[in-house]
């Protein structure tokens, strides 16, 4: 699959091509969390929607929520993607104060959904087909509150264990307009399917944006990841700033550090957050408490038959 060419960025040494990949994190529409029966309702008192499983109390074991699995399969079908009849949950190990387990249950080598594609409409009657690399299920982390005390941070675990679908695109996106169109389209598909409400203000849909630059048609450059974008407008602004920043560094004889960055909407710029980890840093291994997910073709066919009319089908009609 080839990416549609986007707008080239003019630099001091000629034109540059921007290469963008997106990881969209969509909260699954479900009354209960991925591995516990605790409520997913937004806006409760801190730590009021927390089960013993979410708090990682000793001896507590996760139990898979079948509704979340079904929602992930529906989403995969809506993205014209391959549904894997066997998938595995893995532990992604890292310490973070709002993750009481000390690891995240996610999927690595065997995700629930494989390759798919989304076609987006662009200005001037053009369109672009963006490849989907995978969709996997994982649990969300809690939330740190830094504004409650001058000396301490507080932890709210209401969101801990809520089911997320991480939809990973291929690096097929070539400019900010294509990126914005892609997120808009994915959000629309999720809403039609009823698998995520797409509410970006509440953080129910957010995106990590990977940006690199290269001479047109050249080898891929070193990418930087901009974390937790919850506005389509800001995604566009962040890409344009980050591409310009990288071009200026390279043209001045510098090198791009692979790192995670944050976007400051007030200043319209990205800033460094931390060096970027690689997959091996997380020491993934199959979760010993969860059996592999196994589907039948009949199960997938039944879900497919129940899908509503999606945006492209409605347009065609």
């Amino acid at each position: 699959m080839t990416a549609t060419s986007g707008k080239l960025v003019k630099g001091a040494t000629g034109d540059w091509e921007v290469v963008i990949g997106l990881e969209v994190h969509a909260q699954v529409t479900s009354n209960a969390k991925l591995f516990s029966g605790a409520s997913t309702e937004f806006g409760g008192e801190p730590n009021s929607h927390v089960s013993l499983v979410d708090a990682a109390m000793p001896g507590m074991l996760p139990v898979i929520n079948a509704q979340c699995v079904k929602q992930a399969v529906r989403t995969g079908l809506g993205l014209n993607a391959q549904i894997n009849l066997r998938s595995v949950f893995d532990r992604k190990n890292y310490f973070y104060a709002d993750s009481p387990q000390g690891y995240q249950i996610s999927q690595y080598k065997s995700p629930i959904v494989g390759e798919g594609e989304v076609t987006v409409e662009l200005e001037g009657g053009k369109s672009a087909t963006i490849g989907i690399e995978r969709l996997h299920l994982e649990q969300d982390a809690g939330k740190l509150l830094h504004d409650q005390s001058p000396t301490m941070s507080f932890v709210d675990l209401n969101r801990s264990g809520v089911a997320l679908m991480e939809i990973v695109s291929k690096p097929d996106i070539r400019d900010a307009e294509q990126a914005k169109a892609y997120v808009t389209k994915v959000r629309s598909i999720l809403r039609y399917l009823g698998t995520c409400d797409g509410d970006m203000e509440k953080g129910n849909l957010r995106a990590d944006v990977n940006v690199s630059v290269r001479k047109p048609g050249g080898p891929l450059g070193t990418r930087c990841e901009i974390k937790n974008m919850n506005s389509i407008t800001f995604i566009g602004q962040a890409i344009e700033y980050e591409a310009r920043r990288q071009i200026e560094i390279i043209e001045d004889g510098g090198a791009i550090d692979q790192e995670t960055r944050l976007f400051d909407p007030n200043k319209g710029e990205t800033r460094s957050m931390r060096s970027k980890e690689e997959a091996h840093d997380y020491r993934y291994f199959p979760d010993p408490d969860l059996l592999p997910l196994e589907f039948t073709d009949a199960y997938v066919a039944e879900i497919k038959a129940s899908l509503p009319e999606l945006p492209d089908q409605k347009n065609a009609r």
Side-chain angles (χ1 to χ4, degrees):
M1 187 179 302
T2 56
T4 298
S5 58
K7 300 180 189 113
L8 296 176
V9 180
K10 291 208 179 304
T13 60
D15 289 339
W16 293 83
E17 183 176 44
V18 187
V19 179
I20 303 156
L22 283 162
E23 298 165 15
V24 172
H25 299 261
Q27 181 175 321
V28 177
T29 299
S30 163
N31 291 330
K33 295 182 180 180
L34 184 55
F35 299 115
S36 82
S39 170
T40 58
E41 190 179 348
F42 181 80
E45 285 291 309
N47 298 308
S48 60
H49 299 157
V50 185
S51 76
L52 296 175
V53 174
D54 309 323
M57 291 296 169
M60 294 297 106
L61 297 176
V63 178
I64 189 77
N65 179 340
Q67 174 65 9
C68 294
V69 171
K70 186 175 181 181
Q71 294 283 56
V73 173
R74 282 170 64 84
T75 303
L77 292 168
L79 297 171
N80 299 310
Q82 169 71 35
I83 306 300
N84 295 323
L85 297 181
R86 187 180 191 277
S87 59
V88 175
F89 283 102
D90 297 282
R91 289 190 183 179
K92 180 181 181 181
N93 296 274
Y94 59 93
F95 173 78
Y96 216 68
D98 57 13
S99 299
Q101 294 164 312
Y103 56 85
Q104 177 191 38
I105 302 177
S106 182
Q107 295 187 305
Y108 179 43
K109 286 189 174 170
S110 303
I112 195 166
V113 176
E115 294 188 343
E117 61 182 35
V118 170
T119 301
V120 299
E121 291 71 39
L122 304 168
E123 285 180 10
K126 293 181 181 174
S127 66
T129 299
I130 312 298
I132 302 286
E133 182 70 42
R134 58 190 279 138
L135 177 156
H136 61 260
L137 273 174
E138 63 185 23
Q139 55 181 177
D140 205 349
K143 185 179 181 183
L144 290 174
L145 306 170
H146 303 295
D147 56 356
Q148 312 285 312
S149 159
T151 57
M152 292 182 289
S153 290
F154 291 5
V155 182
D156 177 8
L157 294 179
N158 279 351
R159 215 171 59 188
S160 178
V162 166
L164 296 178
M165 296 177 287
E166 182 171 334
I167 303 164
V168 182
S169 85
K170 297 193 174 186
D172 286 349
I173 302 166
R174 289 293 173 268
D175 61 37
E177 290 310 310
Q178 288 183 21
K180 287 158 64 177
Y182 170 79
V183 177
T184 302
K185 184 64 171 283
V186 168
R187 186 181 181 208
S188 170
I189 291 169
L190 296 175
R191 284 176 154 172
Y192 270 69
L193 291 166
T195 57
C196 171
D197 65 15
D199 191 329
M200 298 182 82
E201 275 187 52
K202 291 180 181 173
N204 294 354
L205 188 127
R206 49 196 195 265
D208 298 340
V209 185
N210 290 286
V211 179
S212 65
V213 297
R214 65 180 178 183
K215 287 295 185 180
L220 289 172
T222 302
R223 62 189 165 90
C224 293
E225 180 185 46
I226 309 161
K227 288 291 282 187
N228 283 333
M229 305 291 298
N230 66 346
S231 153
I232 291 170
T233 301
F234 292 162
I235 287 171
Q237 292 173 4
I239 288 168
E240 288 180 353
Y241 173 87
E242 182 60 22
R244 175 65 57 196
R245 184 189 75 87
Q246 292 185 20
I247 290 166
E248 287 175 2
I249 289 172
I250 296 167
E251 290 187 331
D252 284 345
I256 303 301
D257 294 323
Q258 184 167 325
E259 62 181 357
T260 300
R261 299 179 70 84
L262 293 174
F263 179 67
D264 183 336
N266 297 318
K267 294 181 179 176
E269 61 187 36
T270 64
R271 66 173 189 270
S272 183
M273 180 184 173
R274 61 171 183 257
S275 61
K276 174 65 181 159
E277 301 85 357
E278 299 287 358
H280 61 255
D281 295 323
Y282 291 118
R283 203 169 56 87
Y284 282 95
F285 61 87
D287 192 295
D289 296 329
L290 289 160
L291 290 170
L293 283 178
E294 296 190 345
F295 307 139
T296 62
D297 287 316
Y299 173 79
V300 176
E302 184 185 334
I303 293 175
K304 190 170 188 175
S306 72
L307 293 185
E309 185 179 45
L310 290 169
D312 286 351
Q313 296 164 333
K314 183 170 279 191
N315 263 340
R317 179 164 62 79

